[in-house]
Amino acid sequence: MTITPEQRITLHGFNNLTKSLSFNMYDICYTKTKEEREAYIEYIDEQYNSDRLTAILKNVSDIIGAHVLNVAQQDYVPQGASVTVLISEGPIVEVPNDSYAESPGPLPESVVIQLDKSHITVHTYPEYHPDEGISTFRADIDVSTCGEISPLKALHYLTHSFDTDIMTIDYRVRGFTRDMNGHKLFIDHDIASIQNYIPDEVRNQYDMIDVNVYQENIFHTKCKLKQFDLDNYLFGYTKESLSEKEQQNISTRLKIEMDEIYYGKNMT
């Protein structure tokens, strides 16, 4: 089904489609000692505390043109944070011409897009390997909307907001809405791939896999950073302080960790 802004279908009542975007990001770090691991987790908790996460979710709300009705936020002990934002339809200053286009959404400062009642949540999960050699930070963000505009328009900003080694992105459309003749519409926009909502400069940095079930309106994309520089994965020092053998061993461990997360299975 192809619908352009100039070919809007008149609906019978409210657009009842539910569109959900799940954005999962992973940051991996090598922490050789308990002190390094604790310092990394403290750094992550400071960088992604509930106040900063709330600011990110409020920007997401702005991008999709929503009013924030309520914010619940919590920093956990010993680590982690959660934020839930309840939002409603925001005022429409201008309906964008590309509201149905498969293209990256805007960053803040250039945002006016319609949204109906919805919610946005984020939860963070710092964790580490039992031998303390690998530390991983994961953030899960869910954007659920009812109505016309897809939350995929917030994906550009989310990839812009997190320093991420691996991204797992899910998008699905549920329910149906009716036109004036009672004909059901199970999706109200064309979509071939989540990748089309990610800017080229970001896509070029990642290896990507799509697993899509088009007849069920389910879309799944996994992304893993292409370039590997060990210095980006050491916390508090550089690879020059390590022997060549140590660099090789640490690099191997980090790459296995990333591959296991990317492919969703343990590897020997």
Side-chain angles (χ1 to χ4, degrees), residues 5-225:
E6 292 75 26
Q7 297 173 317
R8 305 288 286 277
I9 292 177
T10 302
L11 299 180
H12 175 72
F14 179 70
N15 187 329
N16 290 315
L17 290 171
T18 297
K19 301 164 188 173
S20 300
L21 171 69
S22 294
F23 174 81
N24 310 95
M25 61 77 61
Y26 297 84
D27 180 77
I28 294 103
C29 181
Y30 183 79
T31 50
K32 183 166 56 176
T33 66
K34 179 180 179 181
E35 290 73 21
E36 289 176 11
R37 187 257 300 172
E38 290 176 345
Y40 172 74
I41 290 179
E42 183 178 347
Y43 166 78
I44 287 295
D45 268 356
E46 181 179 344
Q47 284 292 104
Y48 297 105
N49 60 36
S50 62
D51 286 338
R52 186 184 176 205
L53 295 173
T54 298
I56 290 173
L57 296 197
K58 285 183 176 179
N59 279 334
V60 170
S61 299
D62 289 341
I63 285 172
I64 52 182
H67 282 310
V68 174
L69 298 177
N70 183 64
V71 177
Q73 64 183 75
Q74 180 66 50
D75 290 299
Y76 297 111
V77 177
Q79 67 257 344
S82 295
V83 179
T84 300
V85 178
L86 181 65
I87 53 182
S88 67
E89 182 179 354
I92 307 169
V93 179
E94 178 183 357
V95 177
N97 291 331
D98 64 344
S99 60
Y100 290 97
E102 275 190 278
S103 61
L107 295 175
E109 284 93 48
S110 59
V111 176
V112 185
I113 296 180
Q114 181 180 359
L115 177 89
D116 291 294
K117 302 179 188 69
S118 184
H119 66 271
I120 310 172
T121 64
V122 59
H123 305 282
T124 66
Y125 303 90
E127 66 89 48
Y128 59 94
H129 193 279
D131 70 6
E132 299 178 342
I134 299 286
S135 291
T136 304
F137 167 67
R138 181 176 112 239
D140 296 347
I141 297 179
D142 291 284
V143 184
S144 181
T145 71
C146 291
E148 185 174 302
I149 293 300
S150 167
L152 283 166
K153 288 299 181 180
L155 186 56
H156 181 192
Y157 171 66
L158 291 174
T159 60
H160 181 78
S161 299
F162 293 91
D163 184 16
T164 175
D165 298 308
I166 297 170
M167 297 183 290
T168 302
I169 308 163
D170 294 282
Y171 176 67
R172 56 201 175 277
V173 182
R174 288 290 176 263
F176 62 86
T177 192
R178 296 180 187 271
D179 65 17
M180 294 301 291
N181 296 319
H183 181 73
K184 293 184 182 70
L185 303 175
F186 293 94
I187 193 168
D188 60 358
H189 64 98
D190 291 323
I191 173 172
S193 171
I194 293 172
Q195 294 188 36
N196 294 333
Y197 292 85
I198 302 174
D200 289 341
E201 62 269 19
V202 176
R203 281 196 306 187
N204 292 337
Q205 297 175 26
Y206 290 87
D207 290 318
M208 294 189 173
I209 296 175
D210 270 9
V211 182
N212 300 324
V213 186
Y214 294 103
Q215 67 271 23
E216 298 294 336
N217 298 321
I218 297 173
F219 305 87
H220 175 75
T221 298
K222 295 193 289 189
C223 317
K224 184 181 71 169
L225 205 60

Side-chain angles (χ1 to χ4, degrees), residues 247-262:
Q247 291 183 38
Q248 291 175 348
N249 288 339
I250 293 171
S251 295
T252 298
R253 286 202 60 182
L254 287 165
K255 290 177 180 178
I256 290 174
E257 181 79 3
M258 294 172 68
D259 283 345
E260 288 181 342
I261 294 172
Y262 186 58

